[in-house]
Amino acid sequence: MRKPLFFIISILCIGLMTSCDESITPLEKVVPSSVKNTSISSSVKQTLVNGFWQYSEINMLAGTKNKMLFSRQNNIGLSNTISKIQINFKPDGTITSLQQGLVLQKGKWKLLNNDKQLELAIENQPAELYDIVTFNKDVIEYHAVLKQSNTDDATWSMNLAFLGVSATSVTEIVTVYKLSPI
């Protein structure tokens, strides 16, 4: 499997989000893999390493379907584990995710392509590259794109079934992650 981190994150989100809103709503503000209108601050690294971050929203998108897995603002999935995760990007290029003081994951991070992409390499996993859409002192929004051509049939089918999308209607699934400072 070429995208094990995406698969692990998808499974984690699916498993942890059992109390999420189960409705699939029309897509309103998604920018798939061809990210447009990127908003990057001039001191990206300084902002990133200035304290802890938490998930504020996670969406999975396919075609015109949008499945919100987690949203602090809309009170979706707040009772789940993901709401308690704290992420610390350190100046030395390491990243740690914590839950109630316990380390969940460690890895390395770096900014690429004039700070428009974030590379994460979590312990014993291949590095994953994310497109940064928004980055400022209040929010980091980045996208992971799972392409049908780069994944196995079981993973692809599981994600499409979760989203309620037919196999013939899409060729990629975008997961949108938003982090906010704690």
Side-chain angles (χ1 to χ4, degrees):
M1 181 185 329
R2 291 187 63 197
K3 297 287 182 184
L5 183 59
F6 186 89
F7 177 73
I8 291 168
I9 290 172
S10 296
I11 294 297
L12 176 67
C13 290
I14 291 167
L16 296 176
M17 299 300 135
T18 56
S19 68
C20 290
D21 178 7
E22 295 299 325
S23 65
I24 297 175
T25 56
L27 181 63
E28 294 176 5
K29 59 175 182 172
V30 169
V31 183
S33 59
S34 56
V35 176
K36 302 174 187 103
N37 299 325
T38 303
S39 169
I40 307 293
S41 73
S42 60
S43 59
V44 173
K45 183 174 180 180
Q46 182 180 353
T47 302
L48 190 61
V49 300
N50 191 23
F52 285 83
W53 295 82
Q54 64 185 353
Y55 288 103
S56 55
E57 192 171 290
I58 301 173
N59 289 307
M60 286 183 76
L61 316 154
T64 60
K65 301 293 183 174
N66 178 359
K67 178 86 170 187
M68 186 170 292
L69 302 175
F70 176 80
S71 174
R72 286 185 193 283
Q73 181 178 3
N74 297 313
N75 296 320
I76 298 172
L78 295 182
S79 64
N80 294 297
T81 303
I82 200 101
S83 70
K84 298 172 181 72
I85 293 175
Q86 299 178 345
I87 301 168
N88 187 9
F89 294 89
K90 297 176 185 169
D92 66 357
T94 59
I95 183 173
T96 306
S97 63
L98 307 164
Q99 181 184 18
Q100 298 174 338
L102 300 174
V103 174
L104 296 177
Q105 292 180 319
K106 292 181 182 180
K108 297 198 176 285
W109 68 273
K110 64 180 163 181
L111 294 165
L112 301 169
N113 300 322
N114 294 317
D115 300 339
K116 293 181 181 165
Q117 291 183 308
L118 174 64
E119 182 182 87
L120 297 176
I122 305 303
E123 294 177 323
N124 305 315
Q125 299 292 325
E128 295 285 337
L129 192 61
Y130 301 92
D131 294 320
I132 299 173
V133 176
T134 304
F135 197 125
N136 58 50
K137 66 181 180 62
D138 299 318
V139 67
I140 302 169
E141 179 180 342
Y142 58 95
H143 293 181
V145 179
L146 179 65
K147 294 188 180 280
Q148 182 179 12
S149 59
N150 294 343
T151 191
D152 62 86
D153 290 339
T155 302
W156 186 252
S157 296
M158 178 199 67
N159 280 288
L160 291 180
F162 176 70
L163 291 166
V165 177
S166 72
T168 59
S169 65
V170 296
T171 59
E172 69 180 25
I173 298 170
V174 179
T175 303
V176 179
Y177 301 91
K178 288 185 182 178
L179 301 174
S180 58
I182 298 176

